[in-house]
Amino acid sequence: MIGKTSLVALFLLMLTGTAFPRDYNILEYGAKSDTTVLSTKALQQAIDDCSKAGGGRVIVPTGNYKIGSVVLKSNVHLYLEQGATLYGSTELKDYLPMKSDYVSLRTQTSTIQLIYADMVRNVVIDGYGTIDGRGRVFKKLSWNDEGITRPHLLRFIQSEDITVKDITLKNSGCWMQHYLACDRLRIEGIKVFNRNNYNNDALDIDGCHGVIVKGVIADSDDDGITLKSTSPRLCENIRIADCVISSHCNAVKLGTETNGGFRNISISGIVVKPSSDQSSLFFGAPSKIGTSALSLEIVDGGVMENVSATDFTVEGTESPIFIRLGNRGRGYKLRETAKGLSGKGNDDTITELIPIDHVGTIDGIRIHHFQVRNAGPVGCSITGLAGHPVRHVWLSDISIHQQGGIKANDLQAINDSISNEKEKAYPEATMWGYLPAKGFYLRHTRNIHFENVTIQTSEPDARPDFVKEDTEGWGDQGDGTYRNPVLNVDFSDPDVVRVGNKYYMVASDFHFLGMQVLESEDMVNWRYISQIYNRFDEPGWDSNQHYAGGSWADVQGCRLVQRGYLRGGSR
């Protein structure tokens, strides 16, 4: 007997002439719940059939399955049932080298990953199961072996409308998940545990547009939630909210790779805490409390603008807030495309890449409502470079309680360390060691605003709360405004003429002789260069009895031009 539900489905099918998306159970393709047997072919065939049919669900039922590399296709919904686990093979031969045509730092050579997708659309990975890469067995062989001899767990490249939801991701060989040049990406409610190897980031979003990250619980040895741009494509229009993050390094980080940069980034509702499992340490400070809660970096020529970080509750971290504009200048393109990266040197000494020839910008950051306790003694910093300041940062309602304990006789060594600006160095919140301020150290900045910021220490500390170096400058402020230097004199009725690219100013002279001439290149910064005359030979003049009987600027300005004092001038 046909039930009502079946009749409704049959009726709708007759009306539309199309079938409902069907399920593709990997058991029906020969998968075995047995970690001594590979189920790669079964899973891949189910994915291929699902995509060819126009879409549907690939079901991974409760059980333990071992796989090597699989390639996701468009319109596939990979669903892991409660109690289902996909285990990555521990043999490199089971991983397929894949190469995208998208040019970025880590796509110009073949890479290996457990789950891979390139140029796909409408893909979902969800359910309450687990994907475990078993990455501890893949030993680090060189500085750039991520994805070469140590597989990523999950990688999407130049894909659209991607959702990863509710699943648990564990134990990658390097980065857990890398989303490169993707549009409309949603990551929600997932749990990530990645503390078994080097470069164990929890989440890397790289040059993506239109991203929502929400409700993520992450525990990683390396950085937690990370935005990057390993190509000129910016990370743009991204929302990160309501996450709990543990990291030996940086809980939330924009950087380090910053060839494109970051625009329109909103981050809020973040809890940062040390991991409950401290059995291993690959990167980070020996204290294991984390390097920073928030790191905002531009070091490879990119831009950072319109970034907001609010409502952080932080336990630990050596240097809770770190903002850095540097000039590492590392490119993303190989000089010779036929050759890959050699693996020699380190992240900052790659000779095979075309270098970046300009310094980037950081302009427009808001940091609000940070509550930090039990931080380390380093301090926070906002630093740019001479001629390239960090601009327009607002920090408000911030409370930091840190260890303290720096004594007066430590200050000279601290100042000696900070004198090295490390323009080309890898940016890290602890790159100078202890900072001159226990709160915030600022160097090469403009328009940094603090409101309701309090600093407390557990032990007495000789450092001030704030130290500022090169934080205000005369002239063009870079935002359409000028800051004028104070001149301790009254220049009445100023009259200005221009000659070529320079400006010359005179003013009415009531009491003093000579009518001074000032020169400027920007009409803001002036210097004395000469005078029109030495004195007037009139009775009583030397005794200063002729107030308001002196030289008037509007007249003399014209005569400067008429008499050729400044030839070629125009008023």
Side-chain angles (χ1 to χ4, degrees), residues 75 254 298 368 417 424 523 547:
N75 303 311
L254 277 59
I298 291 288
H368 184 57
S417 174
K424 296 286 186 180
M523 291 190 69
Y547 179 81

Side-chain angles (χ1 to χ4, degrees), residues 276-475:
S276 56
D277 178 7
Q278 298 287 1
S279 59
S280 62
L281 176 69
F282 294 91
F283 285 137
S287 64
K288 298 184 179 181
I289 63 173
T291 301
S292 77
L294 177 68
S295 283
L296 305 177
E297 305 165 358
I298 291 288
V299 295
D300 298 324
V303 301
M304 182 183 296
E305 56 191 30
N306 203 21
V307 173
S308 170
T310 65
D311 297 319
F312 273 54
T313 302
V314 181
E315 176 81 17
T317 72
E318 292 290 346
S319 176
I321 298 172
F322 175 68
I323 302 177
R324 174 61 172 167
L325 176 59
N327 187 28
R328 179 176 67 166
R330 192 178 80 178
Y332 67 98
K333 256 187 171 181
L334 290 169
R335 296 178 188 271
E336 300 179 62
T337 55
K339 296 181 179 180
L341 298 176
S342 67
K344 298 177 181 178
N346 57 49
D347 254 352
D348 306 314
T349 60
I350 306 174
T351 59
E352 298 97 336
L353 296 171
I354 300 171
I356 301 299
D357 62 358
H358 62 276
V359 178
T361 60
I362 297 179
D363 193 332
I365 310 296
R366 287 189 177 271
I367 298 174
H368 184 57
H369 276 158
F370 269 56
Q371 178 74 23
V372 182
R373 69 174 189 176
N374 297 326
V378 172
C380 303
S381 64
I382 305 174
T383 60
L385 299 173
H388 300 278
V390 174
R391 298 182 183 275
H392 302 109
V393 181
W394 289 264
L395 304 101
S396 61
D397 298 329
I398 296 173
S399 174
I400 298 176
H401 186 283
Q402 60 126 294
Q403 178 181 328
I406 302 301
K407 297 178 171 53
N409 57 10
D410 298 324
L411 297 181
Q412 185 58 54
I414 291 173
N415 289 328
D416 290 344
S417 174
I418 202 70
S419 65
N420 180 357
E421 299 208 14
K422 299 186 177 182
E423 174 182 342
K424 296 286 186 180
Y426 185 93
E428 194 73 272
T430 55
M431 61 193 294
W432 290 290
Y434 302 130
L435 293 166
K438 61 177 177 284
F440 284 85
Y441 172 71
L442 278 61
R443 178 164 61 192
H444 305 314
T445 65
R446 299 290 185 271
N447 303 112
I448 312 299
H449 307 274
F450 291 96
E451 180 179 353
N452 191 27
V453 176
T454 60
I455 311 298
Q456 296 176 304
T457 60
S458 297
E459 301 175 24
D461 196 296
R463 297 171 295 174
D465 289 351
F466 301 91
V467 172
K468 301 179 181 181
E469 299 179 18
D470 183 26
T471 58
E472 298 296 338
W474 305 122

